[in-house]
Amino acid sequence: MRYRAQREAIVATCRRLVEQRLVVGTAGNVSLRVDDLLLVTPSGVDYDQLTPEQVGLHRLDGRAVEAPLSPTSELPMHQAIYAAGPARAIVHTHSVAATALSCVVEEIPPVHYYLGIFGGAVRVAPYAPYGSPELAEATVAALQGSSACLLGNHGAVTVAGTLAHAFRRAAYLEWLAEVALRVLSSGVTPRLLFAEELAEVTPRIQEYGQHPGEEI
């Protein structure tokens, strides 16, 4: 089996997503670009039952190379993201706060400097049916200049240079979405950060606790 270590890392990441309540059931999906191929989770397999052998290896055009099961229905979204930029890993979640927030805002308001983790605005892609070319296109557009976006009435996506970094961003994104929801539901006019304040903190927070090779 090719890329065993990378497949094992995908399985481990999926289990962590369940443990941290970032997905439920078979929701969400994870992929990793390796050379000119991609590894991606299969469709409809509970993550506690997922094995490295079931993680599919595909060409970037979607053709199976070593994939015993059908890939996630969101394979077109993963393909589009890899085709559009330098991302090497993608984590797509259906986490509660991010999904709820995607129904009420067009982008995450600047309620906390953690927004700088993502390098730019975290926008909400307009709703489109899951697995559709329209959703793939909307996701790529929402990710422009950022390493994360919300999917309207659906969930969230984070991208990075490594799988570990994409997972960390997914966890921070859910925390930030939860804070934003609480602020917006408080009934009090929120005190938001100015663009200048975010611009000052963004490069510093992206260097904090550096992880070599995770510049994306």
Side-chain angles (χ1 to χ4, degrees), residues 97 101 111-112 173-185:
L101 189 62
V111 294
H112 194 277
L173 182 61
E174 178 66 1
W175 184 90
L176 184 61
E178 174 67 22
V179 170
L181 278 175
R182 294 191 184 199
V183 169
L184 294 174
S185 64

Side-chain angles (χ1 to χ4, degrees), residues 101 105-111 115 121-124 150 173 176-177 180:
L101 189 62
V105 300
E106 294 185 357
E107 67 178 61
I108 296 183
V111 294
L115 195 60
V122 178
R123 293 175 285 268
V124 179
L150 304 185
L173 182 61
L176 184 61

